[in-house]
Amino acid sequence: MHRPALSIVIPCYNEADTLPLLHQRVSAAARAAVGDDHEIVLINDGSRDDSWAIMQYLATTDPRLVAINLSRNHGHQLALTAGLDLCSGEQILIIDADLQDPPELLGELRATMARENADVVYAVRRKRAGETLFKKATAAAFYRLLDRLTDTPIPLDTGDFRLMSRRALDALLSLPEQARFIRGMVAWIGFRQVPFPYDRAERHAGETNYPLPKMLRLAFDAVTGFSTAPLRFASHASVALAGLALLLLFYIAWGYFEGNPVQGWTSTMLVVTVLSAVQMFVLGMIGEYLGRLYIESKRRPLYLVADIAGTVHRRATLGFQAEGTRIPAHEIAREENA
């Protein structure tokens, strides 16, 4: 099996307006870094626009490009997992399709990896152009809360934009869990990892594919995937509430002996409400963790490949790739000309 020097993995969802410029800039950066010894892996994550048709066309014009069409929308992290599972390069660049992360930084990322003898070079955002104050504030709060809660140190202000060695990627691919938070999983595998500060640009076209509900889901995946702190909250809350109950007992006893017994239902209802809220929160967290165990026990593949345009040198290990999914480039060209 031929193993190119570099693989560039790009998950895509409704990126039809960006794909031509993305291909142009990524190809130029790859050629400047390693010449023709590279592959570009585009993953279509169930796009509703013309993204897949454009990917197929690009595969006919560039033999170093492979386009993977998933059977449905699996979500960004699983689409990225599919690309990482099927790429074959010695070094792997992860980048989003919106061009907020400049592909022209590839040369500097490779130089940093060589200079530091690192297995992972992760990009740290100094500035976030084109993002609202709310987005910046919530992102900063999320990374710092995650740092406090998780047992694995996860670098602050980082996304999935990074360069990895093959051995680091192979270690990452040995982790089969369904609820994936890639940047946290990369931090967990260890090896030598170094930061690379950069300024993030504005999105080239379209709207973000990570609205608030998806961001909250990703945050929840991150916390529950790398920390049991929410479960430990039950024991901490029980100690605190036991102390509060003891104080209330002393207060009631003091009022009784002073001839001023506590009357009314307000204090009783307050205690009942607080206890009920804590119990429901704890039950909800236990249910969330049990739900994840239930999903993991099914052992379903992480992704399903419907079609492939171009040449893939690896077989799926974490997902399912049916026989006959590959569409040779010459067949695509014949269909385009028909």
Side-chain angles (χ1 to χ4, degrees), residues 112-113 116-124 192-196:
T112 301
M113 176 174 280
E116 299 290 339
N117 193 27
D119 284 285
V120 178
V121 180
Y122 56 89
V124 180
R192 179 162 173 74
Q193 306 192 19
V194 297
F196 178 85

Side-chain angles (χ1 to χ4, degrees), residues 8 46 85 104 123 136 140 163 174 195 203 212 219 229 330 334:
I8 302 177
D85 194 21
E104 292 78 11
K136 294 177 182 178
L163 182 68
S174 70
R203 183 181 176 86
L212 183 60
H330 68 272
R334 186 163 56 244

